[in-house]
Amino acid sequence: VNGIEIYSMKIDSKVTSRFAHNVITSRAVNRGNVHKEVFFDVELPKTAFITNFSMTIDGVTYPGNIKEKEVAKQQYEKAVSKGQTAGLVKASGRKTEKFTVSVNIAAASKVTFELTYEELLKRQFGKYEMFIKVKPKQLVKDFEIDINIFEPQGITELEAEGTFITNDLQNVIKKTFSDKKGHISFKPTLDQQRTCANCSQSLLDGDFTVRYDVKRTTPDNLQIVNGYFVHFFAPTNLPQLPKNVIFVIDISGSMSGREIEQTREALLKILDDIKEDDFFNFILFGSEVHTWKDTLIKATPENLDEARKFVRAIDTQGMTNLYGGIMRGIDILNAAHEGNFVPKRSASIIIMLTDGQPNVGISNTQDIQAHVKKAIEGRYPLYNLGFGYGVDYSFLEKMALENKGLARRIYPDSDSALQLQGFYDEVSNPMLMDVELHYPENEISDLTKNSFKHFYDGSEIVVAGRFIDINQNSLTVDVKGEGANDALSFTTQQDAEQTAKAFQEQEYIFGDYIERLWAYLTIEQLLEKRTAATGEEKENLTAEALDLSLKYKFVTPLTSMVVTKPEDYDNQAGIADKPTEGIDIFTIECKYSILMRVFLTFFSLHSAAPPASYLYTSSPTWYTSVDGDPHFIISVPQKHDAICFNINEKTGAVLSLINDPVTGITVNGELIGDKRANSDAKIQNTYFGKLGIANKHLDLKVTVTPEKITIQNGNEKTAFTWLDSVTLQQEGLTLIINKKKNLVLSVGGRASFVIVLHQVWKKHPLHQDFLGLYTLESHKLSEQTHGLLGQFFHPIDFTILEIHPGSDPKKPDATMIVKNKELTVTRGWQKDYRKDPNHGVDIPCWFVHNNGAGLIDGVHTDYIVSSLF
């Protein structure tokens, strides 16, 4: 592709006792006669930690160095400020993170990229799963996936499948396993990779998944190597515990449309799976809280039929009284236990689903966390499901972790109902409660988590630790738990010789694998604890996790890997960080057929999610928009708040909204007014009647009016109307028109916008149609971006002091400290028209008066330009 040939790509995985060590090696050559940029572009599981990376160019190796994040950032601060370093890792979808490195190499030069990452494979539904993303983007002469698995317990089943595997390719997957060893090889020839006989496009585009399980002659397995141990616990053939489950469901207005339909669909399927010994109830919260029944109800056939009728009638209304909903659920569950309405030996869980942020009742998230923790008192787990990107994910995660549960994001897509049902399936079969694994305190230090509220069928509990005496080679463990009929208690023993014997036939074992497994698990759990911790406890957890991350060279949220490159041909260093769910940016791979699932969100405000007809893209770290009269909303995520201002200017004026001299992207807007002036008003209403979006580097101009959309590429012009439903992709431009609703536009892979069409009654005496602009992926524009909107693509902070009554009793005034200035601001609302172009949704914000004076750089008239382009 473009003169660069990837002639070899090998994915080599070695799995020892569930711990996977993966090396991706890619070799490329510049077939051109000038220096060219080569990309190494791979997607890794989110659960993995990168441990090593290097580039070898013409025999010279450039390694990646793992450092404390702050140190790496400071070291490359100057380069970052010049826009020279690249963030190398981005979240890219549900399961993966994308690692991208590019380097310029001379004509005829060769480069070898080598990336190593490790992860502990989790057991779900009775199988361990390893997931490899395959996407070489060109035919590769020597392509190979080679997976070796070694399990001392013995392997009972092994399967491999790929979403891209055709009938012809099925035979290329070679799979063997016997006793403790498994091997999978996938090595298609060039012709087997082609989409058709003479095509140059590759079939290899999708997921390659390996699943396996191990023999379980005993409930557990204990392994001791080099002064460390790992203990796997997964008993089989236990009777199932009855369960008591309360579903707490958000029915606020933002759940309307597809979200609530999918929620109903998932709940109906879940009702089919609930067993007759189980107890359940539904709590719905909008502005008010509604319960199906006042107490937990047994899952008799009659009660299930009644529940199905209730679920089919669930509809949306009001705002988000999350606190009221979750507390009602806890109260009902607590009352059932206290009144002995449920079996003593039964497992209780609460599952909450929300798509927004609390804004009725108690809306301070820290207060909600404190109340919920006090009410649950560690008696049962709370699972929080965040639908889409409008949720405060870190709040949901903290609250779940504090209450022995976990948070999960439900992605807004056609399979959201299956995602909801899939999560329920994971926790629907509790086999044991209050599982405790006891190790001799005087023999073991640095033990990972060893007490678990529930053990679910098909899963596995993993505990690892370090011996105080490195030469100790035996261990006795006591395991206790509460089963459906009685208490479970047993003792297991193991010594290092038995482990060594089990490993005799393992040629490729990396000797420190148990130590690295222990480090991986410890870091993962420290980071989890750190999420819910504060103050000194958080500092200590951070220090411990950082120390281990550096010692074992894992790229975690606390470390960065600095990638150095040769200094010729304008190569710049890059920094690889570990993205964090709920904080980092979601960029979903763009395919022609699906073309960017775009998601618009106010990161920190209650978000009314757009209807299903919207296409969604990545949630930006901060968010800016201009819509209406024309009013600007600037989200400030760290404050869970927003700033807004209006610009009042004459009709016909053209305002510079975004101007990036580095990428060449500009957005300008021309103002229109009402059909006739309002003689009573001092300030006339104005709106954007025309938007011009350009990429000067590509000689591309897009003009949008309420009547039509025109694309000019050099001398070529293409026009569409708002009555069209269009998906267009060409070099430097992706454009989607959602008929009579909105337009999604991605320019040069650098920035994306959604333009909302506002249509009024054609015979309206005063108003006329106008446009609103919402920016996405603004982080991809350069540091030098400016304009009325563009200047706020860089983080902004403010402090509010002295809140006092204003001229309107409903809208208090305050002093805002921003950009080292003191401004008088007013608490008010601005309309967000993403969901409802006719009426909009009120967004609370601090209003800056006088055309944004003191907030915007300079004065607003500085932003008047002569024309759209």
Side-chain angles (χ1 to χ4, degrees), residues 357-462:
Q357 296 176 35
N359 55 15
V360 174
I362 295 180
S363 57
N364 180 297
T365 52
Q366 288 179 326
D367 291 348
I368 296 173
Q369 277 169 239
H371 285 293
V372 166
K373 189 176 179 182
K374 190 177 174 188
I376 291 179
E377 284 187 319
R379 284 174 286 201
Y380 38 79
L382 165 67
Y383 295 107
N384 288 332
L385 306 181
F387 206 133
Y389 305 103
V391 293
D392 182 342
Y393 190 85
S394 64
F395 154 63
L396 294 181
E397 186 175 41
K398 278 179 192 169
M399 189 161 69
L401 291 171
E402 280 184 336
N403 294 288
K404 302 188 176 179
L406 55 86
R408 183 76 58 83
R409 196 186 289 280
I410 302 298
Y411 292 85
D413 210 335
S414 56
D415 69 342
S416 296
L418 288 173
Q419 293 175 56
L420 288 167
Q421 196 191 342
F423 175 80
Y424 171 78
D425 290 344
E426 283 178 51
V427 298
S428 63
N429 294 316
M431 312 304 270
L432 291 171
M433 288 187 302
D434 300 320
V435 180
E436 302 274 349
L437 301 96
H438 295 287
Y439 305 84
E441 281 181 29
N442 58 343
E443 295 176 10
I444 300 297
S445 72
D446 302 316
L447 191 65
T448 61
K449 181 178 168 182
N450 67 324
S451 69
F452 300 84
K453 194 66 201 167
H454 292 161
F455 166 73
Y456 296 107
D457 191 29
S459 70
E460 180 174 67
I461 285 170
V462 183

Side-chain angles (χ1 to χ4, degrees), residues 637-655:
Q638 69 271 29
K639 285 283 191 280
H640 294 270
D641 213 337
I643 304 174
C644 45
F645 62 95
N646 280 3
I647 294 292
N648 300 305
E649 195 48 61
K650 296 188 184 77
T651 60
V654 179
L655 298 176

